[in-house]
């Protein structure tokens, strides 16, 4: 999911290019703006965290681009491509090093397991046909 900072800055295309060049196939993609309530449902696992309110407000502040991606070893390889959550700790050449502004406005989200990738993909694309 490309986050509001990266979409607003016009970095959607550059990020998609990096994703495709890294060998991921885009199975589904769209551009949407979430309500704070819907953003809160997506990040429900973080509901007890002190930054949850800020996270929901931020994630509903502008358009985002969720995608379902396919690749062998996708979860691990995608996390390598995007870099550390805090861009200050992200390696050179990663999406967050290049495009993230802060730990909150960190350009992109990646699922942390195959199970969560399934849940998060369904969150945005349930009922749609994938090809
Ligand atoms: P993401 O991979 O989307 O998963 C949860 C998000 O919470 C994370 O990226 C960060 O953008 C955000 N986050 C984590 N820690 C903090 C923090 N200390 N302050 C604000 N946002 C945070």
């Amino acid at each position: 999911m490309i986050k509001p900072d990266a979409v607003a800055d016009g970095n959607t295309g550059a990020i998609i290019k990096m994703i495709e060049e890294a060998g991921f196939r885009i199975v589904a993609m769209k551009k949407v703006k979430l309500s704070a309530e819907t953003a809160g449902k997506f990040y429900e696992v973080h509901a007890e965290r002190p930054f949850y309110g800020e996270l929901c407000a931020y994630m509903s502040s502008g358009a985002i681009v969720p995608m379902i991606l396919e690749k062998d070893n996708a979860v691990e390889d995608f996390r390598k491509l995007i870099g550390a959550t805090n861009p200050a700790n992200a390696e050179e050449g990663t999406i967050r090093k290049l495009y993230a502004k802060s730990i909150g406005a960190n350009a992109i989200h990646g699922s942390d397991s195959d199970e969560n990738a399934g849940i998060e993909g369904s969150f945005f694309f349930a009922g749609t046909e994938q090809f």
Side-chain angles (χ1 to χ4, degrees):
M1 173 167 67
I2 305 177
K3 295 191 180 185
D5 57 296
V7 175
D9 289 349
N11 293 323
T12 303
I15 291 172
I16 290 171
K17 189 163 191 282
M18 286 181 72
I19 291 170
E20 288 194 311
E21 284 178 353
F24 293 87
R25 191 175 80 84
I26 299 171
V27 175
M29 176 168 65
K30 63 184 174 184
K31 183 172 183 177
V32 288
K33 187 170 181 293
L34 302 179
S35 65
E37 190 190 359
T38 306
K41 280 189 192 131
F42 182 85
Y43 279 117
E44 210 153 37
V45 290
H46 296 305
E48 302 306 319
R49 304 279 194 100
F51 56 82
Y52 181 65
E54 190 187 323
L55 177 62
C56 298
Y58 170 66
M59 287 304 298
S60 56
S61 68
I64 60 164
V65 177
M67 292 174 230
I68 295 176
L69 302 173
E70 189 176 84
K71 185 183 182 299
D72 287 345
N73 204 34
V75 167
E76 197 185 331
D77 286 356
F78 195 69
R79 291 176 81 78
K80 276 187 201 143
L81 176 68
I82 70 178
T85 304
N86 185 343
N89 303 326
E91 282 189 37
E92 291 297 330
T94 60
I95 291 173
R96 283 172 171 158
K97 185 70 177 184
L98 288 165
Y99 298 114
K101 295 192 167 86
S102 65
I103 193 167
N106 65 350
I108 193 158
H109 164 82
S111 303
D112 63 4
S113 66
D114 286 351
E115 187 189 359
N116 281 336
I119 293 168
E120 293 179 351
S122 299
F123 187 91
F124 286 109
F125 299 102
T128 66
E129 187 185 352
Q130 267 117 53
F131 53 93

